[in-house]
Amino acid sequence: MNEFDKKLRKQQQNINQLLIEFLPQETSGYHEIVIEAMTYSLLAGGKRIRPMILEEVYGLFKPKSLSIEPFMVAIEMVHTYSLVHDDLPAMDNDDLRRGLPTCHKKYGENIAILAGDALLNRAYEIMLEGVMKYKLGDQGLLAASCLATNAGTKGIIGGQVADITYEDQAVDMDVIGYIHQHKTSALIEAAFMMGGYLAGQSDEVIKRLNRIGRCIGLAFQIQDDLLDITGDEAKLGKPILSDMKNKKTTYVDLKGVEGSKVIVADLLEEALSVLKSFDSTKTVFLRDFINYLKERTF
Amino acid sequence: MNEFDKKLRKQQQNINQLLIEFLPQETSGYHEIVIEAMTYSLLAGGKRIRPMILEEVYGLFKPKSLSIEPFMVAIEMVHTYSLVHDDLPAMDNDDLRRGLPTCHKKYGENIAILAGDALLNRAYEIMLEGVMKYKLGDQGLLAASCLATNAGTKGIIGGQVADITYEDQAVDMDVIGYIHQHKTSALIEAAFMMGGYLAGQSDEVIKRLNRIGRCIGLAFQIQDDLLDITGDEAKLGKPILSDMKNKKTTYVDLKGVEGSKVIVADLLEEALSVLKSFDSTKTVFLRDFINYLKERTF
């Protein structure tokens, strides 16, 4: 394992620990099952790239601080809630996620809906508490607000609605681009921008961070489309060819395997190039991360 | 129509107008349908008692202010999201709500799940924006945080989980009390406390407001149980005897119709008595409201 892999692994462990700390800690009541379901889905694997990005971006401008922890946890909770709801029978109807039964397969549809709701709600609860506890003022509020916008109808919910609406239909690049940007890229963009907001950065800096996030987010989703055709089921933890099965038009349908790979490479190069505008002694991990994405197989 | 009814009607109209203003205003994108569904559910009737309480409680301490509008809208959005999700086939499976088709009956299950998610998410987005816009600081953060707690696993989600868990089972007063307090009372308590937090009140005052909210919330839910047996379907906008059909144990099963009516009367008297500790020239509407609840038939 190389240095980057080691750091990645360690970061993931740290974030998993944080996630546990910030889950609801109630020890009484008649609702333990929903906390079990929240915990199950939150800890069922996951690359944790969103909180990792947030932390690294913050580190470009400021020394380490406990004050960003609630935001790292919140973005991962929002990501997990969206997966739990997307997997539901009424939505994508998926039985497996990261090699494990999806939340509704394990706890039933009703508890899965409520566990998703509770993760979304908890994300805001801990950010609000964090803003107060660490007296973050507008820097914290802008970060939380950025997550809200990117999680909402202008972000992942909008993307999922479009995805459902155009399922079974032949669609053009405009629609696919919209779905990819909203469904996948929005939260990765949020991770970049939240790190900047928490560090009190200007609109101009936030704009550059947003651009890096969008390049990575789009590249990531196109890779997902590619892996759904060329990937290894065991590594992915889910069946391949699901887009074909669900009659979903993907990037690969419109641009081909090779064409899509070129687009991914271009997007990641663009991300690296914008990243160069920041202090190069502090961007090592993010650069390694982008290079690591170039080779992503799961 | 008496003076109180007129004021109530006028308040409801004002709140409906506010709700429209704070819905997402996107005019482009591929996700219009979810905004239509959010709007449909938010504007499909509703007594608007939560925002009304919040406004009246704030008015006990401070002159009218635009700064509380985002919070009035947020609590109604959270209430509506919980109804949309509770009505889903995997939950209570209700076809009618306030005399109209439920969200999933009209827009499909997938859009109803996402519309609920979007209402919950939007509630936080507008509160966060409100705290920044009106520079509310901790007073706004405490109000938003109070809503988050009362909407979460310690509040309405916890109550709904218990409700589902104990469906089809004979339960005791302990469980019913838990379900009523969490599922129904939590948001009414939040309305009272949020009004106090926004007006910068002390913990001691918040505690008294919480107590009034709990009395009213519990009375309201016991009335719901009573109306499910003795109510008028046309006035209620939904079928009666649904608890019996769903084999739900209610207050009425354990305390009888007359016993439950006595408990409701006692709770509302307690609320009136705690309310007396506030400036009586400013509690007229809240007193009238509690007296109005005594006669509630829908």
Side-chain angles (χ1 to χ4, degrees):
Chain A
M1 204 186 302
N2 67 29
E3 279 310 304
F4 175 75
D5 279 331
K6 269 190 212 153
K7 174 146 191 207
L8 197 67
R9 213 53 91 79
K10 192 159 171 295
Q11 283 276 67
Q12 284 165 347
Q13 283 168 358
N14 292 344
I15 291 166
N16 288 344
Q17 194 49 48
L18 271 191
L19 295 174
I20 294 169
E21 278 172 37
F22 278 91
L23 274 161
Q25 304 291 338
E26 291 111 272
T27 50
S28 66
Y30 296 99
H31 60 280
E32 301 90 343
I33 191 74
V34 78
I35 296 180
E36 195 187 316
M38 291 165 81
T39 310
Y40 171 79
S41 287
L42 201 56
L43 299 180
K47 294 181 272 293
R48 315 301 185 203
I49 65 170
R50 291 158 193 81
M52 222 181 285
I53 288 168
L54 190 158
E55 187 175 25
E56 286 297 325
V57 170
Y58 183 83
L60 294 180
F61 313 105
K62 300 260 179 184
K64 267 188 187 302
S65 165
L66 293 179
S67 66
I68 67 167
E69 290 183 347
F71 299 85
M72 293 169 62
V73 172
I75 197 169
E76 192 66 15
M77 283 186 174
V78 168
H79 174 55
T80 305
Y81 121 80
S82 78
L83 299 179
V84 170
H85 280 190
D86 284 2
D87 285 339
L88 287 168
M91 307 271 240
D92 296 349
N93 196 19
D94 282 318
D95 295 348
L96 276 181
R97 162 79 63 187
R98 298 162 182 163
L100 292 170
T102 46
C103 193
H104 65 272
K105 273 282 155 191
K106 190 158 165 88
Y107 293 98
E109 217 176 314
N110 48 11
I111 295 296
I113 294 168
L114 290 163
D117 292 346
L119 284 166
L120 177 61
N121 191 74
R122 180 78 180 151
Y124 290 104
E125 189 177 18
I126 64 183
M127 286 191 290
L128 288 162
E129 285 169 0
V131 175
M132 284 190 279
K133 181 173 173 185
Y134 297 106
K135 304 192 191 311
L136 301 177
D138 274 4
Q139 300 186 359
L141 290 167
L142 285 166
S145 196
C146 173
L147 182 52
T149 304
N150 285 278
T153 51
K154 282 182 192 151
I156 52 175
I157 292 175
Q160 178 68 1
V161 172
D163 199 13
I164 286 169
T165 308
Y166 290 94
E167 212 174 21
D168 293 338
Q169 291 182 41
V171 295
D172 58 18
M173 277 306 296
D174 205 40
V175 175
I176 293 199
Y178 178 90
I179 293 172
H180 282 194
Q181 196 262 307
H182 288 76
K183 194 173 160 166
T184 309
S185 183
L187 272 195
I188 295 179
E189 293 173 42
F192 274 91
M193 290 190 281
M194 288 167 79
Y197 280 126
L198 286 165
Q201 295 304 296
S202 68
D203 288 351
E204 185 278 320
V205 172
I206 299 292
K207 218 165 164 180
R208 269 187 282 149
L209 292 169
N210 193 354
R211 187 165 157 216
I212 301 175
R214 183 159 308 189
C215 290
I216 292 180
L218 294 178
F220 200 82
Q221 180 58 48
I222 300 170
Q223 284 184 326
D224 261 3
D225 288 358
L226 279 163
L227 288 171
D228 192 56
I229 292 174
T230 62
D232 177 330
E233 295 200 351
K235 271 191 185 172
L236 290 169
K238 62 182 178 185
I240 65 166
L241 302 177
S242 72
D243 292 329
M244 212 178 286
K245 198 189 79 191
N246 294 328
K247 294 183 194 148
K248 268 191 196 175
T249 312
T250 73
Y251 242 79
V252 184
D253 293 317
L254 298 181
K255 299 285 182 185
V257 168
E258 290 314 311
S260 299
K261 281 182 179 170
V262 170
I263 295 170
V264 168
D266 287 350
L267 285 165
L268 294 176
E269 279 313 318
E270 188 181 336
L272 282 170
S273 120
V274 183
L275 194 62
K276 278 191 185 131
S277 65
F278 296 100
D279 178 352
S280 66
T281 64
K282 297 191 173 154
T283 55
V284 181
F285 182 85
L286 285 169
R287 264 182 286 144
D288 287 350
F289 174 66
I290 296 171
N291 286 317
Y292 158 87
L293 283 183
K294 289 185 184 167
E295 314 294 330
R296 181 161 92 94
T297 54
F298 65 95
Chain B
M1 206 188 298
N2 66 29
E3 278 309 305
F4 175 74
D5 278 331
K6 269 189 212 154
K7 175 147 190 205
L8 197 68
R9 211 55 88 77
K10 191 156 172 295
Q11 283 276 66
Q12 285 164 348
Q13 283 167 357
N14 291 344
I15 291 165
N16 289 344
Q17 195 47 46
L18 272 189
L19 295 174
I20 294 168
E21 278 172 37
F22 279 91
L23 276 162
Q25 305 292 339
E26 292 111 270
T27 49
S28 66
Y30 296 99
H31 61 282
E32 300 91 344
I33 190 74
V34 78
I35 296 180
E36 194 187 318
M38 291 165 81
T39 310
Y40 173 79
S41 287
L42 201 56
L43 298 181
K47 293 181 273 295
R48 316 302 185 202
I49 66 169
R50 293 158 192 79
M52 220 179 287
I53 289 169
L54 191 158
E55 188 176 25
E56 285 297 324
V57 170
Y58 183 84
L60 293 181
F61 313 106
K62 300 259 180 188
K64 267 188 187 301
S65 165
L66 291 179
S67 66
I68 68 167
E69 289 183 348
F71 299 85
M72 292 168 63
V73 172
I75 197 168
E76 193 67 15
M77 283 185 173
V78 169
H79 174 55
T80 304
Y81 121 81
S82 79
L83 300 180
V84 170
H85 281 191
D86 284 3
D87 286 338
L88 286 167
M91 306 273 238
D92 296 349
N93 195 19
D94 284 317
D95 295 349
L96 276 181
R97 161 79 63 188
R98 298 165 181 161
L100 292 169
T102 46
C103 193
H104 65 273
K105 273 283 154 189
K106 188 156 169 88
Y107 293 99
E109 217 176 315
N110 48 11
I111 295 297
I113 294 168
L114 290 163
D117 293 347
L119 284 166
L120 178 62
N121 191 74
R122 179 78 183 150
Y124 290 105
E125 189 178 19
I126 63 181
M127 286 191 291
L128 288 161
E129 286 169 0
V131 175
M132 285 189 278
K133 180 172 176 188
Y134 297 105
K135 304 189 190 315
L136 301 178
D138 274 4
Q139 300 186 358
L141 290 166
L142 284 167
S145 195
C146 173
L147 181 52
T149 304
N150 284 278
T153 53
K154 282 181 192 149
I156 53 176
I157 293 175
Q160 177 69 0
V161 172
D163 200 14
I164 285 169
T165 307
Y166 290 94
E167 210 174 23
D168 292 337
Q169 289 182 42
V171 295
D172 59 18
M173 276 307 296
D174 205 40
V175 175
I176 291 200
Y178 178 90
I179 293 172
H180 282 196
Q181 198 263 306
H182 289 75
K183 195 173 159 165
T184 309
S185 183
L187 272 195
I188 294 179
E189 293 174 42
F192 274 91
M193 292 190 282
M194 289 167 79
Y197 280 126
L198 287 164
Q201 294 304 296
S202 69
D203 288 351
E204 186 275 321
V205 172
I206 299 292
K207 221 166 161 178
R208 270 186 284 150
L209 293 170
N210 192 354
R211 190 167 156 214
I212 301 175
R214 181 158 310 188
C215 290
I216 292 179
L218 293 178
F220 199 81
Q221 180 58 47
I222 299 170
Q223 285 183 325
D224 262 2
D225 288 0
L226 279 164
L227 288 171
D228 193 56
I229 292 176
T230 62
D232 176 332
E233 295 200 348
K235 273 192 183 172
L236 290 168
K238 62 184 178 185
I240 66 165
L241 303 176
S242 72
D243 292 330
M244 212 179 285
K245 198 188 79 192
N246 294 328
K247 292 183 195 150
K248 269 191 193 173
T249 311
T250 72
Y251 242 79
V252 184
D253 294 317
L254 298 182
K255 300 285 183 184
V257 169
E258 288 315 309
S260 298
K261 282 183 178 171
V262 170
I263 296 169
V264 169
D266 287 351
L267 285 165
L268 294 177
E269 278 312 317
E270 188 182 336
L272 281 171
S273 120
V274 183
L275 194 61
K276 281 193 184 129
S277 65
F278 295 100
D279 179 351
S280 66
T281 63
K282 296 193 173 152
T283 54
V284 181
F285 183 85
L286 284 170
R287 265 183 284 146
D288 286 350
F289 175 66
I290 295 171
N291 286 319
Y292 159 87
L293 282 183
K294 287 186 185 168
E295 315 294 329
R296 179 161 94 93
T297 53
F298 66 97

